[in-house]
Amino acid sequence: MSSEQVYAALVALRREPILDPELWPDGPRQDDLRRLLGVLLAVVELEITATTRLGSDQDTDVAEVLLGWSDQVGSTPGLFANVLANRLQRTAVQLMGLDEDEEGGETSPGRMASSMAVVAARTPWTTI
């Protein structure tokens, strides 16, 4: 996948980031791929959040998202586990920064859980 393809998808969704023409006179570069994928991931996650209601009677909404995800990823155990571990690690890293301003120096349960999630995500699946 190229940065141009991801940028085109963002344009189609009307969610493309503004690129400074002085810095990007020829549009996105291949070096921008990971950042653009992050933007696309955020767009998709925001849409999923807006259309699903976790913890409510709308469990079918979540099931439909998971079915679509599974259809795309497939059932190859190694790939399936790797994608989930990668997602868990990204989530844990993002959660770790949420409790930065706590007073008293105590670690919150959320921060402790996110730290444990990072450890779990980095643990090879063959040892679990």
Side-chain angles (χ1 to χ4, degrees):
M1 180 170 288
S2 72
S3 59
E4 291 84 12
Q5 290 172 312
V6 176
Y7 191 77
L10 290 166
V11 168
L13 294 169
R14 296 185 175 131
R15 301 293 293 269
E16 73 275 12
I18 305 295
L19 298 179
D20 183 341
E22 288 186 27
L23 298 174
W24 290 276
D26 301 320
R29 299 179 300 247
Q30 195 58 28
D31 291 348
D32 301 319
L33 179 60
R34 286 184 194 91
R35 186 177 191 123
L36 290 171
L37 286 169
V39 173
L40 183 58
L41 180 61
V43 167
V44 171
E45 288 180 341
L46 288 167
E47 254 334 282
I48 289 172
T49 300
T51 61
T52 58
R53 309 286 182 263
L54 290 175
S56 71
D57 293 336
Q58 303 299 323
D59 289 338
T60 56
D61 293 349
V62 175
E64 288 294 322
V65 170
L66 293 176
L67 284 172
W69 188 91
S70 295
D71 289 345
Q72 186 64 38
V73 173
S75 60
T76 305
L79 178 61
F80 193 89
N82 191 30
V83 171
L84 288 176
N86 191 291
R87 182 199 315 155
L88 177 60
Q89 186 174 10
R90 284 191 320 270
T91 300
V93 168
Q94 287 178 302
L95 286 174
M96 287 171 62
L98 293 179
D99 299 335
E100 294 288 322
D101 297 328
E102 284 189 40
E103 294 184 28
E106 292 185 30
T107 302
S108 74
R111 179 178 244 173
M112 191 176 300
S114 63
S115 297
M116 291 293 104
V118 168
V119 171
R122 291 184 176 175
T123 302
W125 287 93
T126 57
T127 63
I128 295 179

